[in-house]
Amino acid sequence: MSGHDYTPTLSNAPFAFTAENEALAQKHVAKYPPGRQQSAVMPLLDIAQRQIGGWLTEPAIRYIAGFLGMPEIRVWEVASFYTMYNLQPIGRHHVQVCTTTPCWLRGSGDIVQACEKHLGIKVGETTADGMFTLKEVECLGACVNAPMMQIGDEYYEDLTPETAVKVLKQLAAGETPKPGTQSGRHTSEPAGGATTLTSINRPAE
Amino acid sequence: MPKLTIDGKEITVEPGTTVLQACEQLGIEIPRFCYHERLSIAGNCRMCLVEQEKAPKPIASCAMPVMDNMVIHTDTPLVKKACEGVMEFLLINHPLDCPICDQGGECDLQDQAMGYGRGSSRFHENKRAVKDKYIGPLVKTIMTRCIHCTRCIRFSTEVAGVEELGAVGRGEDMQITTYLEKAMTSEMQGNVIDLCPVGALTSKPYAFSARPWELRKTESVDVMDALGSNVRIDARGTEVMRVLPRTNDDVNEEWISDKTRFACDGLKRQRLDTPYVRRDGKLKPASWAEAFDAIAARLNGVAGAKIAAIAGDLCDAESMLLLKELMASLGSANIDCRQDGARLDPKNRAGWLFNSTIAGIEQADALLLVGCNPRKEAAVLNARIRKRYLAGGFKAASIGPKADLTFACEDLGNDPKLIEQIAAGAHPFAEILKAAKRPMVIVGMAALARADGAALLPAVQKLAEACNLIQEGWNGFNVLHNAAARVGGLEIGFVPGEGGRDVAGILDGAAKGQIEVVYLLGADEIDTNRLGKAFVIYQGHHGDRGAHRADVILPGAAYTEKDGTYVNLEGRAQRGRRAVLPPGDAREDWTILRALSERLGKTLPYNTIGAVREKLAAVAPCFARVDRLVSASWAVSAGGGAIEAAPFQPAVADFYLTNPVARASRTMAECSALAAGRMPEKGTGTHG
C-alpha cells in the first residue's frame, strides 16, 4: 500500500478557535475580497495547528471548512498536500533535519545519526516522553549554512553532530538555544573571515 | 482569427481554441486522458504532447491556445517518443489486471497503450498499491488503477456542482476520495464512471456482470424523468445489463441522472409476466383470452359515461393514442393523462411546454423558479442551469421550498402570492426580469398540481407577459414536467373530452359508484383507495400500486422492451427502441390495446406500428418531426379561481423512487435509504 496515510487525526474533542485566534483568523480573512474568504485557508490551518499543539485534527479541518464556507474535502486537500501541516500527532519539538544534496554533502547523514542516537529513536518516530519527533525533510533553503535542521519555527545551521546534540539538550532542559548558525560565524558570511574586499575599511560591527 | 499549420495543413480557428481542438477539427486524433471537452482543462496527464516548431520541447496540446502562424507536428519521431514515454510512466503504477477489470474492452488506457505505447516497460521495481475508497453505493473504486487525471473531481465540482470528490496527498501518493469516505450525494454521480478513462471508478451494481463485447447495444430514450435523455441500453440475452448516456447536445449533452443509469435492475423485479384475473377476491394467473373475456363481460352493457381511463407516467404515445381511440369507441370521454392532477390547459400548447428549450437555458440571463426543484425533478436539466450560472451574468430566484440547487438562487420565500406581486411589478425581482435580455420562468408541478393550479397557471403566464418573458424569437415561459409520458399525452389529447371527467373526477366518480370501469394504463401514482368498487383494468409492467388494486391485469412492456415514441418536456418527440423482449406473456402495449379492441368488437384500424405512427403524425405535428422541435404560439390560459396562500410542497419527495421501475430497483432503494439517513454510511463489505 501507498506509504502515506493522509487521514487527519480523528478526535471526539470538538475544535474551536480561542478568542485570540479567532480575531487573528478574521484578520487573515479580511485580506481577501468578499466571497474569496477561502483564500485564507492556509493561514487558518496554521493557526489551528499551533492551537492544537503541532498537528491538525479532523474536527479542526471541519471547523475551518465551516469557518470559511468551503467543502471539507477542499480543506483536507490543502492540509494533506503541504508537508508543514501535520495530520498525525507529533512531539513538542518537531526536529526536521534537511538531507537534500547540499546538506548531505556537508554531512547531514552524521547529523541524523547523532539525533537518532541522542534521542533513542529512528527517523519518523517520537520519543516516549513526547518531547521530540525526528524527521528527514527536503531542502529548507538554507544551503549556504549546510548542514541544518529546523526545530519548531527556528533554523539551526552549520551543525556538527556535537552542536546538533547540544541544541537538543538545551531544548530538553527547557532552555532556548540560539537560532541560526552554530559555528560562531556571522549569518552566512565566510567561515574563515572575509576573503574579498579585505583592503578597504569595513564598518565596525 | 488565428491561422496555424498542423501536419502541413493550414487551418483557421476561433481565437481561444486549443491546439488539441484545432487538431480535432482537422480530424487528427490526439491521445488524451485528462482532457474532456465538457470539463475545465487540467493538463496533467501529458498524453497529448505534440511538437511545436520553435518551441524548446513538446507542448501539451490540450492546454495550449492556438496562436497565429503556429506550426504543429503530430506525427514526428519526437511526438511518438514523447507519447511512448508518457505512456510508459503512466503504466509504471498501473496494475496489469485487465482480465479482471470491468473497464476491460472499453478502456481508454488499454486502447491508447495499444495505439501509442512501447509495448514493454523498463520498470522492474514494485508498483504502487492504493487502498480502495468507499464513495457510495453506486460507484465502485479500485484506486490502484487511478492515473490521477482528476476528471471525476472536475465533474463533481463543475457539472454536478456538489464538491465531494477531491485529491488528498501529493505526487505519487495522491489519492482520490470523498471527505473521510462519505457517500457521494449528487444525483449525477454515475457519470464519473463514464468519465474515468481507466477502471478506477466502475459501476458497483454492474460489477463483474458482463463484458462490453457481449452486449447488444440499442439506442433509446430514457423515461425516468420528462427530459427524454438519450440513452444506450446494453443488453445480454433477455436481460438489460446497464444504461449509458448517448450524446445529444440539445437534450442531455452527455450526462444522465443516477435514476436513469441505475434503476434498470428494477426491470427484473416485480414484473407482470402473465395476465391475471381477480377471482374470489384473489388475483389468479390467466390466459390472454380469459383476461379479455373478463373485460368484455364486465364492459357489456356499461354506458360510456361510466367508463374511464387514466394514463400513467411511463406510457409511450402509441399506446395512449390507441387507448384514447378505444375509449372514444366505447363512448367514454373520461380520459386523463395528468394522473398527478396537474391543472394544465390542454388547449394551450405553449402553456405546457418548456418553451425556451433545454439548450435555450444557456441563452437565458435571468430565471425565476416557481414551485419546482429541478435538481430532484430533472437532474440533468439542473446541470444545464448550473452551466449557465457558471458562465456568469445570470440571476436566479425561487418561489418554493428551500433547496440546494447547486447554483446561486435567491430564495424569495415560499409564498404563491409573490407571483402576482412580481407580475404587478411590486417586487424587486420584477425589475431583474424586465432588465434581462432573455428572462425565463420555470413552473413546476408543486405549483400546477395543487388545487389552485388552474389559478396559478394563468398567473405565471401573466407574469411572463408583464416581465417581458415573451419576445419575438424567445419564449421564457416553461413548465417542468416530472413524467416522461405527460407531454406526449397532452399532444395526443389524452384529456377529458366534452363533458368528460379528469383524474379527480374519475376518482370521485369511482368512489361514489358513478364510474364502474377504470382502465389504468401504467397509472400507479394515483390514490388507488379512492377507486371504490370500480372494476379496475391495469395494463402495465410492474406489480405496483395500480396492479395491486386491479381486477384484471394485462402485462405490458417496460420502456426497454418496446418501440415507442416519447415526447420530452420541450415537445421533442423521440423514439425509444426495443432492446429486449418483454418477459413471459407480456406484450408491447399498443398491440394489447389493438387485440382488446378486436375482442370488444371495436377493432382499431392499426396492424403495424407504422400505421399507428402515421396516425400520431396526423394528430399532432410534433410526431411528424421526430427529434426536432415544433414551437407553440403564445396564449394565456383561461384558468380560474384564486391563488391560495398555502406554501408549495415539493413535487418529488424522493428522487430515487418516483416510478414503478425505480421502486422495484434494489439499487434505488439503497440510494433512497442512504439519502434519508436510514442506512449507515459505509456498506458492510458483504457486497461489492
Side-chain angles (χ1 to χ4, degrees):
Chain A
M1 288 288 152
S2 184
H4 284 82
D5 180 9
Y6 291 107
T7 315
T9 310
L10 300 175
S11 163
N12 291 325
F15 177 86
F17 281 144
T18 59
E20 199 175 278
N21 280 343
E22 170 143 12
L24 190 57
Q26 292 294 3
K27 219 172 97 188
H28 283 293
V29 171
K31 287 181 193 167
Y32 302 100
R36 305 279 177 185
Q37 71 278 12
Q38 300 186 357
S39 305
V41 65
M42 293 183 64
L44 262 62
L45 280 168
D46 184 56
I47 295 169
Q49 174 159 301
R50 284 166 195 275
Q51 184 178 321
I52 293 167
W55 68 92
L56 287 164
T57 59
E58 190 274 325
I61 287 181
R62 228 175 328 126
Y63 176 82
I64 290 172
F67 196 92
L68 297 174
M70 60 196 285
E72 290 140 349
I73 182 77
R74 294 281 168 268
V75 182
W76 187 21
E77 280 179 331
V78 173
S80 66
F81 185 87
Y82 293 99
T83 53
M84 285 169 77
Y85 301 118
N86 299 305
L87 295 171
Q88 298 303 319
I90 57 160
R92 211 174 111 206
H93 301 292
H94 190 196
V95 183
Q96 305 175 74
V97 186
C98 172
T99 55
T100 304
T101 318
C103 280
W104 175 65
L105 289 168
R106 298 277 296 153
S108 66
D110 298 338
I111 308 295
V112 172
Q113 259 184 12
C115 290
E116 284 184 340
K117 199 172 156 209
H118 174 69
L119 297 171
I121 52 173
K122 294 276 169 207
V123 165
E125 292 176 353
T126 302
T127 52
D129 59 1
M131 283 294 278
F132 293 96
T133 295
L134 180 63
K135 278 190 190 156
E136 255 183 28
V137 294
E138 300 306 327
C139 185
L140 291 171
C143 314
V144 74
N145 288 33
M148 60 78 67
M149 64 183 176
Q150 181 184 1
I151 303 178
D153 289 341
E154 301 293 356
Y155 277 14
Y156 301 93
E157 299 155 341
D158 293 327
L159 296 171
T160 60
E162 293 74 35
T163 52
V165 168
K166 194 177 145 206
V167 168
L168 295 178
K169 278 184 178 162
Q170 282 178 299
L171 285 170
E175 296 164 29
T176 312
K178 180 177 85 73
T181 175
Q182 304 295 312
S183 72
R185 67 165 155 165
H186 182 250
T187 64
S188 54
E189 283 176 2
T195 56
T196 55
L197 304 178
T198 48
S199 60
I200 56 167
N201 290 328
R202 299 177 48 142
E205 285 282 328
Chain B
M1 295 238 291
K3 192 157 104 179
L4 69 163
T5 312
I6 302 172
D7 292 348
K9 283 175 242 171
E10 280 204 348
I11 182 172
T12 309
V13 294
E14 293 284 322
T17 310
T18 63
V19 173
L20 188 147
Q21 287 166 333
C23 291
E24 278 191 336
Q25 286 176 26
L26 278 173
I28 298 166
E29 189 187 284
I30 305 288
R32 85 287 302 266
F33 293 111
C34 72
Y35 174 80
H36 191 277
E37 57 266 31
R38 289 181 214 277
L39 302 175
S40 64
I41 291 166
N44 53 16
C45 77
R46 316 310 289 180
M47 195 62 207
C48 63
L49 294 176
V50 298
E51 188 179 347
Q52 180 191 352
E53 273 182 19
K54 293 183 188 144
K57 52 185 181 175
I59 57 163
S61 60
C62 74
M64 176 68 88
V66 294
M67 278 170 285
D68 219 7
N69 302 322
M70 245 184 180
V71 182
I72 301 289
H73 298 284
T74 70
D75 51 2
T76 55
L78 178 82
V79 174
K80 184 169 185 288
K81 198 176 164 204
C83 282
E84 285 175 357
V86 170
M87 199 71 233
E88 196 177 352
F89 272 122
L90 283 172
L91 291 177
I92 277 181
N93 275 327
H94 191 82
L96 280 174
D97 61 351
C98 304
I100 56 154
C101 176
D102 260 332
Q103 193 86 351
E106 50 186 8
C107 175
D108 287 355
L109 190 66
Q110 227 178 10
D111 295 347
Q112 291 181 33
M114 282 297 289
Y116 302 94
R118 269 182 86 237
S120 63
S121 172
R122 288 167 288 182
F123 182 79
H124 299 293
E125 289 74 9
N126 288 333
K127 282 175 183 265
R128 174 202 61 170
V130 184
K131 203 169 153 265
D132 293 342
K133 309 289 186 293
Y134 172 84
I135 58 172
L138 300 178
V139 182
K140 184 183 164 181
T141 66
I142 304 95
M143 282 308 184
T144 301
R145 295 179 189 148
C146 178
I147 60 165
H148 300 164
C149 72
T150 69
R151 274 186 188 179
C152 53
I153 301 176
R154 282 177 282 146
F155 173 82
S156 58
T157 306
E158 293 159 17
V159 180
V162 191
E163 291 194 48
E164 297 176 304
L165 282 171
V168 298
R170 53 152 70 186
E172 186 191 51
D173 291 324
M174 186 174 117
Q175 304 186 8
I176 307 286
T177 183
T178 54
Y179 186 68
L180 301 179
E181 302 194 28
K182 277 188 189 144
M184 288 195 283
T185 59
S186 164
E187 291 79 14
M188 299 175 66
Q189 54 179 281
N191 292 298
V192 301
I193 298 166
D194 295 337
L195 286 172
C196 185
V198 298
L201 305 178
T202 57
S203 168
K204 209 174 247 185
Y206 170 76
F208 303 132
S209 55
R211 284 304 202 176
W213 55 84
E214 306 171 323
L215 299 170
R216 204 169 56 248
K217 298 158 182 81
T218 312
E219 299 198 336
S220 189
V221 177
D222 171 55
V223 298
M224 294 292 145
D225 53 38
L227 200 67
S229 296
N230 289 203
V231 295
R232 193 185 89 191
I233 298 164
D234 282 5
R236 188 177 58 186
T238 57
E239 210 179 342
V240 173
M241 302 305 294
R242 61 175 179 178
V243 174
L244 296 177
R246 265 192 301 140
T247 305
N248 185 336
D249 282 332
D250 290 334
V251 183
N252 56 317
E253 297 182 277
E254 59 179 277
W255 320 123
I256 52 173
S257 76
D258 291 340
K259 192 160 46 177
T260 303
R261 186 186 299 266
F262 292 110
C264 61
D265 65 324
L267 294 166
K268 291 174 233 164
R269 299 197 177 86
Q270 294 282 95
R271 288 306 301 271
L272 301 171
D273 55 2
T274 185
Y276 286 85
V277 176
R278 195 177 288 276
R279 294 193 186 100
D280 310 325
K282 283 209 166 124
L283 282 167
K284 300 266 168 64
S287 69
W288 278 103
E290 287 166 341
F292 282 177
D293 287 345
I295 295 169
R298 185 63 185 80
L299 278 175
N300 193 17
V302 177
K306 295 191 168 186
I307 308 171
I310 302 173
D313 286 353
L314 309 181
C315 301
D316 54 303
E318 286 83 353
S319 60
M320 282 191 283
L321 177 74
L322 263 72
L323 182 56
K324 183 192 173 192
E325 296 194 350
L326 177 64
M327 296 306 288
S329 68
L330 293 170
S332 168
N334 307 322
I335 57 171
D336 204 344
C337 65
R338 300 160 295 180
Q339 59 168 337
D340 56 359
R343 304 292 195 281
L344 293 159
D345 176 5
K347 291 186 195 72
N348 181 3
R349 188 162 180 262
W352 39 259
L353 284 186
F354 199 93
N355 293 295
S356 305
T357 75
I358 299 165
I361 292 171
E362 292 184 30
Q363 266 114 54
D365 47 3
L367 167 68
L368 176 65
L369 299 170
V370 178
C372 68
N373 178 346
R375 184 171 168 190
K376 301 285 175 198
E377 295 170 37
V380 177
L381 183 128
N382 196 63
R384 190 75 82 129
I385 303 176
R386 178 174 163 78
K387 185 180 178 189
R388 174 64 195 88
Y389 155 73
L390 289 178
F394 178 72
K395 286 213 170 97
S398 168
I399 303 173
K402 274 197 173 66
D404 174 11
L405 294 173
T406 74
F407 53 88
C409 186
E410 190 189 344
D411 182 25
L412 300 182
N414 192 353
D415 178 7
K417 300 271 184 199
L418 285 170
I419 299 167
E420 286 168 336
Q421 281 180 33
I422 295 174
H427 189 280
F429 200 74
E431 296 313 312
I432 293 173
L433 286 174
K434 281 177 192 164
K437 283 204 186 77
R438 293 256 187 273
M440 63 188 283
V441 61
I442 302 178
V443 56
M445 291 304 134
L448 298 180
R450 289 191 351 160
D452 60 346
L456 283 162
L457 176 65
V460 178
Q461 286 170 330
K462 279 172 196 154
L463 178 151
E465 287 194 335
C467 295
N468 196 29
L469 270 66
I470 315 300
Q471 309 163 6
E472 187 69 36
W474 173 259
N475 185 339
F477 177 84
N478 301 287
V479 175
L480 182 62
H481 291 272
N482 299 333
R486 194 77 76 247
V487 175
L490 290 163
E491 295 277 6
I492 291 163
F494 201 96
V495 289
E498 199 76 21
R501 293 167 185 262
D502 61 5
V503 166
I506 292 168
L507 292 175
D508 272 351
K512 287 179 190 150
Q514 294 155 348
I515 296 283
E516 290 183 16
V517 179
V518 180
Y519 200 114
L520 300 179
L521 183 64
D524 293 292
E525 321 298 325
I526 51 169
D527 184 0
T528 49
N529 293 326
R530 292 183 61 207
L531 288 167
K533 290 200 168 93
F535 182 81
V536 176
I537 304 159
Y538 181 81
Q539 177 181 342
H541 41 82
H542 273 77
D544 208 82
R545 292 167 201 161
H548 288 171
R549 172 59 187 80
D551 293 289
V552 174
I553 293 176
L554 305 176
Y559 71 106
T560 51
E561 295 151 8
K562 61 186 169 192
D563 290 329
T565 307
Y566 303 91
V567 188
N568 83 347
L569 44 73
E570 309 165 280
R572 185 192 303 274
Q574 300 185 107
R575 296 259 197 259
R577 288 176 190 84
R578 186 173 71 195
V580 292
L581 289 168
D585 268 346
R587 293 288 181 271
E588 292 198 28
D589 289 86
W590 78 270
T591 60
I592 296 173
L593 286 153
R594 165 67 177 74
L596 179 62
S597 71
E598 191 171 329
R599 175 65 184 80
L600 297 176
K602 315 270 185 195
T603 309
L604 294 168
Y606 309 110
N607 290 324
T608 62
I609 194 158
V612 184
R613 286 179 175 169
E614 264 174 44
K615 182 64 192 287
L616 276 176
V619 168
C622 74
F623 294 107
R625 292 167 61 89
V626 172
D627 291 335
R628 284 175 296 169
L629 288 175
V630 182
S631 59
S633 52
W634 175 251
V636 174
S637 298
I643 296 176
E644 286 162 28
F648 295 127
Q649 300 301 319
V652 171
D654 190 337
F655 167 76
Y656 296 103
L657 301 176
T658 52
N659 62 53
V661 180
R663 281 192 290 268
S665 157
R666 280 189 191 165
T667 313
M668 289 296 103
E670 200 177 338
C671 289
S672 163
L674 190 66
R678 281 182 274 116
M679 204 178 103
E681 267 281 329
K682 285 199 186 187
T684 54
T686 53
H687 56 285

